[in-house]
Structures are given as C-alpha cells and as structure tokens.
Amino acid sequence: MTLSYAPGDSVAHRLDPRSKLLVQVAFAAVAYAHTTSRGLAALTVVAVGCLWLAGGGPSDLWAYRFAFPFLLLAPLVAGATLGTPWFRVERAIDTGLAGYRVLLVLVVAAAYVRSTPVRESRAAIQRTVPGKPGQFLGVGVALVFRLLPLLKRDLLATREAVHARSGGSLPLRDRFRIVAVGGINRVFGRADRLGTALSARCFAWNPTLPRLSFSRGDYGALGVGAGLFAAALVTVV
C-alpha cells in the first residue's frame, strides 16, 4: 500500500475534508494530552474506528513501515543506562507509550489520506486559511501528496536495480550509498520536470477548486472533533 487516495464509498469518503481535518488535528491534540495507558487504550478504539470508517485495514499501515523500527527500538534505547541498574523500566515504558501515541496518530492520518482526494485537501486548506498563506499551504500539501508515492517508487526501483546487478553482495554501507545517491538524483530530476510542467501549464495559485459542502454525517464528525478537543483542554487546564 502507498500513501495515496483510494477511491471508495465508505463513510469517511463521503465526509467533507474540513471535518476530517478537524478530527485529525483534535485526535493528535488529545493523544499528546492523554499519555496514560488507559487514555491510549481509549484512543486506540477511536483510531481503529477512523480507519475502519475509511474502508481501510492493517495493510494501510504498511506504508509507514519505515517508522516501525524506530518506534520499537526507542524504548530499549531510552531504558538503557551506562551504569547500574543498566536498564530503567519506567523510562522504557514512558518512551513506549509515546511511540504508541505516534502510531495511533499515523493510523488516523492513514484514514484521512485513504479517503480524501488531493484536490479536496487543497480546497479545504485554501478555504480555511485565507489569502496567500492558504494558497501556499494548499499547493504544498497537494504537491507533497502527489510526489511522495512517486519518490517512494523511485527508491524501490533503485534498490531493485542494485539487486539485479548483483549489488546484494556489496557491503551494506555501499548499498545504502548507491540507493541514496540514485534516489536523490531522481528527486532532483522530478523537481526539474515538475517546474517545467507547472510553467507549461500556466500554473495558477488560485485555480477552480471542487465545491465543498457539509452533509449530515459531517456534523457527527465535527462533534467528535469538538469532543476530542474538549478532552485535551480538560487535561491541560
């Protein structure tokens, strides 16, 4: 699975992107406010529900696999000490809960990406943030969502090319260097082609964007977002 929109007719697909952005931001706020195991257990139900309402499943999280090693190793690194007692369990637990909190935020983000077209995300941002700042953010989000899957595909293609040329026998450091250099070259190449394409198509900062409107289901999503924000504020206050 890749970090891209998947057409469908799920509940989340039918919602306005602005209400989904509110839920996503509110979830991140309450996740960082409630760091106890009980709070994260409740947020796990919410995160899984968001992904399920978007028609997704565990396979959608595979796109974030690059983060899994860091989340797994962080508690071990945090708990290790240079002297007695050599390992502090309380530090490892705190770091593990923090890493799990990041994982839950990624689950909700996967639900949003899966259920929201890029043009609707751009429209939501530009109509929420007025003026040039909103247009700049909208363009940035649109380009990131469109280019990330391509850049990931380029890195995989470079790695496969290295293996096809018996690169698997090279030291790990050399393989990393070859893949990194090849990936960076492709990034610069895509950036040059993107600039040329934008100029050739008379790129506009304020194009005609899709119409957005709230439906009955969006009011439920807004209520969920408001409730999550309230939960976060209660903890802070």
Side-chain angles (χ1 to χ4, degrees), residues 36-186:
T36 63
S37 57
R38 181 177 300 179
L40 293 179
L43 290 176
T44 300
V45 177
V46 178
V48 173
C50 290
L51 188 58
W52 178 72
L53 291 175
S59 59
D60 292 279
L61 299 180
W62 186 244
Y64 299 103
R65 62 187 179 276
F66 63 88
F68 295 160
F70 298 98
L71 298 179
L72 292 175
L73 292 176
L76 300 177
V77 175
T81 61
L82 297 177
T84 55
W86 301 106
F87 192 82
R88 296 187 180 275
V89 178
E90 64 278 5
R91 292 183 181 177
I93 293 176
D94 291 340
T95 305
L97 291 176
Y100 186 68
R101 176 178 59 193
V102 173
L103 178 62
L104 293 180
V105 173
L106 292 178
V107 172
V108 178
Y112 176 85
V113 173
R114 176 184 175 84
S115 62
T116 311
V118 176
R119 292 184 71 247
E120 290 189 6
S121 295
R122 179 179 178 180
I125 293 174
Q126 290 192 204
R127 292 174 182 174
T128 302
V129 181
K132 285 290 184 181
Q135 295 174 9
F136 181 79
L137 289 174
V139 171
V141 168
L143 292 179
V144 166
F145 276 117
R146 285 191 169 96
L147 287 179
L148 270 182
L150 297 177
L151 298 180
K152 177 184 175 183
R153 194 179 307 161
D154 288 342
L155 286 175
L156 291 176
T158 303
R159 189 180 67 176
E160 291 174 358
V162 171
H163 283 285
R165 291 167 173 80
S166 301
S169 59
L170 294 174
L172 183 60
R173 181 181 62 183
D174 292 337
R175 279 181 280 166
F176 269 117
R177 176 179 56 80
I178 294 173
V179 173
V181 171
I184 292 174
N185 287 335
R186 293 197 177 206

Side-chain angles (χ1 to χ4, degrees), residues 2 12 16 29 32 39 50 66 128 148 168 171 192 204-205 228 230:
T2 59
D16 189 283
Y32 280 88
C50 290
F66 63 88
T128 302
L148 270 182
D192 291 337
W205 281 97
L228 292 174

